[in-house]
């Protein structure tokens, strides 16, 4: 009888646990250059403050609730941003909300929502160094190609000289 009670209890626990809502944020790694190109704005800055989450009517905290995060802008990477900016995000990192400590510099990719507010989230946080590097232009393709062709030509001349092939076959007289 005791064994039946244990099995029934385990079955009930698994049934309840499997029906509970679970929050988790999974970010796809995006090249910072592509993220910057697709963003409406971007900056490197530090968190000044953030709003507290308010419980709903049942007293439950909702991690997906939008809250305001206020940042000081240390460097605007894209867009015309003021020295301080308010960004709206989910309250919890589990719901893909921002995860940042006050005073710590982060890079942040932004988009404007339909109400004109700046929005962002956990998947749009970028290490400051990587965001600043993404803003630098690539080397000019012509310069890269010219350097590569010069290196190949030099290597080919050295190889031909060592082999003695041109002189042996009448190519050099």
């Amino acid at each position: 009888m005791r064994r039946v009670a244990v099995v029934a209890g385990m079955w009930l626990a698994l049934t309840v646990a499997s029906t509970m809502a679970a929050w988790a944020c999974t970010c796809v790694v995006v090249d910072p250059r592509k993220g910057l190109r697709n963003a409406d704005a971007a900056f490197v800055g530090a968190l000044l403050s953030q709003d507290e989450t308010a419980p709903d009517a049942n007293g439950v905290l909702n991690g997906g609730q939008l809250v305001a995060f206020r940042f000081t802008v240390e460097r605007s990477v894209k867009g015309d941003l003021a020295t301080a900016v308010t960004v709206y995000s989910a309250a919890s990192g589990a719901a893909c909300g921002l995860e940042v400590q006050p005073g710590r510099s982060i890079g942040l990719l932004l988009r404007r929502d339909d109400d004109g507010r700046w929005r962002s989230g956990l998947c749009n946080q970028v290490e400051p160094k990587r965001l600043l590097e993404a803003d630098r232009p690539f080397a000019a393709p012509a310069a890269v190609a010219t350097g590569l062709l010069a290196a190949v030509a030099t290597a080919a001349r050295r190889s031909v000289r060592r082999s003695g092939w041109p002189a042996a076959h009448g190519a050099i007289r």
Side-chain angles (χ1 to χ4, degrees), residues 90-156:
S92 167
C96 294
L98 294 173
E99 287 189 349
V100 60
Q101 300 300 316
R104 180 175 171 259
S105 288
I106 65 164
L108 203 54
L109 303 170
L110 305 174
R111 65 179 171 78
R112 282 244 190 234
D113 68 12
D114 294 337
D115 296 327
R117 298 178 301 188
W118 290 117
R119 296 281 302 268
S120 194
L122 182 63
C123 300
N124 295 312
Q125 288 181 221
V126 182
E127 286 296 320
K129 180 180 175 183
R130 293 192 69 213
L131 183 58
L132 295 173
E133 287 171 353
D135 189 39
R136 292 188 194 127
F138 282 121
V144 172
T146 302
L148 181 60
L149 288 174
V152 168
T154 300

Side-chain angles (χ1 to χ4, degrees), residues 2-38:
R2 181 181 164 123
R3 184 177 277 169
V4 172
V6 169
V7 170
M10 288 175 54
W11 178 81
L12 181 61
L14 286 173
T15 303
V16 170
S18 67
T19 60
M20 294 174 63
W23 286 88
C25 181
T26 304
C27 300
V28 175
V29 177
V30 176
D31 174 56
R33 286 185 186 276
K34 184 175 181 179
L36 185 57
R37 187 173 46 248
N38 294 330

Side-chain angles (χ1 to χ4, degrees), residues 8-74:
M10 288 175 54
W11 178 81
L12 181 61
L14 286 173
T15 303
V16 170
S18 67
T19 60
M20 294 174 63
W23 286 88
C25 181
T26 304
C27 300
V28 175
V29 177
V30 176
D31 174 56
R33 286 185 186 276
K34 184 175 181 179
L36 185 57
R37 187 173 46 248
N38 294 330
D40 294 324
F43 70 90
V44 171
L47 180 66
L48 294 170
S49 66
Q50 76 182 67
D51 289 350
E52 294 295 321
T53 52
D56 65 12
N58 297 322
V60 176
L61 290 175
N62 178 356
Q65 173 186 0
L66 280 184
V67 295
F69 291 77
R70 282 167 285 291
F71 291 89
T72 181
V73 176
E74 297 166 2

